[in-house]
Amino acid sequence: MKTYLDHAAVTVADIEWTMKLFEDILGMKETRRKEKDSKLTMLWLDGGIQLVAAPEDSAAGRGHHLGLVVDDIPSALAALKAVPGVHGIAGKPEKWIQLPDGLTLELFQAKDGAIDAALGNKLK
């Protein structure tokens, strides 16, 4: 048997803010969205992440953390920590980052070509 992660869905307090962080800093692009009454309720990003707008009880359905493979971990950490409210986690290695709404990211350094291979891109 072989298994892989199709996607991870996490509840976030501000879906628009979180989408912008993932797009602008981590380079992940929107692949699909769902709206209700002209309000963004769910958003899918390439790489297998689904963001879900928090209901009134913002803890409902919250995931523990997202493990993300990045192509340049020092640059990713610096860019993330430059965003107001984003910070490292006391007692954890530097690769652990927490967003203002409590979503936690664990970053991993990609091996050469690993991200392109995982996303199905052809290398030139």
Side-chain angles (χ1 to χ4, degrees), residues 4 11 28 34 36 43 49 54 76 93:
Y4 67 94
T11 302
M28 300 177 86
K34 181 178 180 183
K36 183 176 182 181
L43 180 81
I49 296 175

Side-chain angles (χ1 to χ4, degrees), residues 6 17 21 25-26 40 52-53 65 71 85 88 108 123:
D6 178 71
W17 183 93
L21 181 134
I25 294 177
L26 298 172
L40 182 59
V52 179
H65 75 276
D71 58 1
F108 297 92
L123 297 176

